[in-house]
Amino acid sequence: MKLIQFKVVEGRKVGLIDGDTARHVQGVTTILDLANLAVAEGRTLAECASDKAGDTLDLDALRQKGQLLAPIGHDDPAHCIVTGTGLTHLGSAEGRDKMHKAASAGEATDSMRMFLMGVEGGKPAEDKEGAQPEWFYKGDGSIIVGPDQPLSSPSFALDGSEEPEIAGIYLIGPDGTPHRLGYTLANEFSDHITERGNYLWLAHSKLRHAALGAELLLGDLPEDIRGSSKIIRDGKTLWEKPFLTGEANMSHSLANLEAHHFKYPLFRRPGDLHIHFFGTATLSFADGIETKEGDIFEISAPPFAIPLRNALEVEKAEKVTVKAL
């Protein structure tokens, strides 16, 4: 089962996709509303959505009319925390290691050492603590865009490139318990040239927009996901490559990534939403691709039926003046 949000004249609505059928989820206007109801009633999102499912929806029409939205959001973006992990996938260290090799005088880079820590200890037994992953802060809910919306790159950015990933969506319950709502296809858009300049600039390189696919997958994430990432320029495919994700292709378990994120009380504040990116091993930047304004990123991967497409745009320069009070 999957959930979607879509816009209508009067605001937003929620849909439930069950197999080949999409139906309107009545009585709620957002997936967050439905999640809060599920937490309050001690039920699953799938149960609550199924109980409220009514008339059928024309999913193709919603796509063609551009009505599909990101599957999650918060009315107060400051209460939506966007974060991620890196070096979590088998093969993910290669591109990063190339970026930082020159500065390491031929020695193993910090990136490679962290990757190997994950290979050795990223999938601990259920009652054990695993190796910490790389972790980064990306922004708050204001940086999230949905399908077919532009991905904006700052005027000062040196690069704006895709990162095809899966993101987990979480709601913190009234008692501080993190509740996983589901998973969504995602583009964790980054500035790889800034990151390559100095690995300590990784934090700067991640403060960018990110895109979420239309569908929120309920239940467990398949262990082996095989997708495709492409860049389209002037109507033609400039670059295309398969990407692998899911735990079978990762050096960390999802449970380990979640444990090391939610161990901090700061991230268990009741009412907050969390969007947590799980990492990737496939980048066009690693293949020497230089993106430019107007390029379209397209990411697709079963079991998600709707590809995530976003065009790259560059923001106008903005002068900021700090005033003393």
Side-chain angles (χ1 to χ4, degrees):
M1 287 186 178
K2 290 173 282 190
L3 294 174
I4 58 170
Q5 290 188 147
F6 58 98
K7 56 187 175 184
V8 291
V9 174
E10 58 271 31
R12 294 168 291 184
K13 288 187 177 181
V14 176
L16 170 66
I17 302 174
D18 189 357
D20 295 327
T21 303
R23 292 185 292 166
H24 174 215
V25 178
Q26 300 172 328
V28 293
T29 58
T30 67
I31 292 175
L32 180 58
D33 290 341
L34 188 67
N36 278 312
L37 180 64
V39 170
E41 295 182 353
R43 306 172 71 201
T44 68
L45 266 178
E47 290 170 342
C48 288
S50 296
D51 284 353
K52 293 178 173 295
D55 51 308
T56 59
L57 297 171
D58 187 338
L59 191 56
D60 287 335
L62 293 176
R63 292 173 60 183
Q64 292 169 7
K65 294 177 182 178
Q67 292 177 261
L68 295 177
L69 302 169
I72 201 67
H74 199 292
D75 289 338
D76 181 356
H79 285 281
C80 178
I81 300 170
V82 187
T83 54
T85 56
L87 300 170
T88 54
H89 284 62
L90 301 173
S92 60
E94 182 181 359
R96 182 80 67 83
D97 199 49
K98 286 179 181 177
M99 289 186 202
H100 302 152
K101 204 75 170 180
S104 67
E107 299 176 2
T109 63
D110 287 341
S111 294
M112 184 58 74
R113 285 194 289 267
M114 181 168 285
F115 171 73
L116 292 175
M117 287 172 62
V119 171
E120 294 170 6
K123 293 183 176 180
E126 190 172 339
D127 59 341
K128 301 292 184 181
E129 180 177 306
Q132 288 191 124
E134 176 194 36
W135 181 96
F136 58 85
Y137 172 73
K138 192 157 181 70
D140 65 14
S142 65
I143 61 104
I144 294 297
V145 303
D148 298 315
Q149 291 183 292
L151 269 171
S152 297
S153 184
S155 61
F156 54 80
L158 303 179
D159 169 56
S161 295
E162 86 299 332
E163 294 200 13
E165 304 190 20
I166 300 295
I169 310 298
Y170 305 85
L171 171 64
I172 310 303
D175 63 352
T177 299
H179 297 268
R180 186 193 317 110
L181 310 189
Y183 304 93
T184 185
L185 199 60
N187 184 346
E188 195 268 291
F189 183 67
S190 297
D191 182 343
H192 298 98
I193 292 179
T194 292
E195 178 189 347
R196 183 179 62 185
N198 188 313
Y199 76 96
L200 294 176
W201 286 341
L202 175 73
H204 287 280
S205 76
K206 293 298 185 181
L207 292 173
R208 303 290 187 268
H209 281 81
L212 299 183
E215 301 158 283
L216 181 70
L217 177 68
L218 307 182
D220 295 329
L221 186 72
E223 287 201 351
D224 184 14
I225 294 178
R226 297 169 181 260
S228 174
S229 179
K230 69 170 65 173
I231 296 175
I232 300 168
R233 180 176 293 172
D234 299 327
K236 298 179 181 179
T237 299
L238 172 70
W239 174 89
E240 184 174 11
K241 200 168 187 176
F243 75 94
L244 305 176
T245 189
E247 285 193 0
N249 303 298
M250 296 174 66
S251 51
H252 286 262
S253 65
L254 297 179
N256 190 51
L257 301 183
E258 292 173 339
H260 281 295
H261 180 68
F262 290 111
K263 67 185 180 184
Y264 296 101
L266 170 67
F267 297 147
R268 300 195 306 271
R269 185 170 56 192
D272 279 1
L273 271 176
H274 287 254
I275 300 172
H276 196 49
F277 290 85
F278 296 132
T280 188
T282 304
L283 308 172
S284 66
F285 181 80
D287 289 341
I289 299 297
E290 297 182 12
T291 60
K292 68 177 186 178
E293 190 165 18
D295 286 350
I296 296 173
F297 305 112
E298 181 176 297
I299 299 170
S300 58
F304 302 95
I306 304 172
L308 174 59
R309 290 169 58 96
N310 303 92
L312 172 62
E313 71 173 18
V314 177
E315 298 172 352
K316 294 181 179 180
E318 184 178 8
K319 184 176 180 180
V320 178
T321 301
V322 177
K323 295 182 177 181
L325 292 180

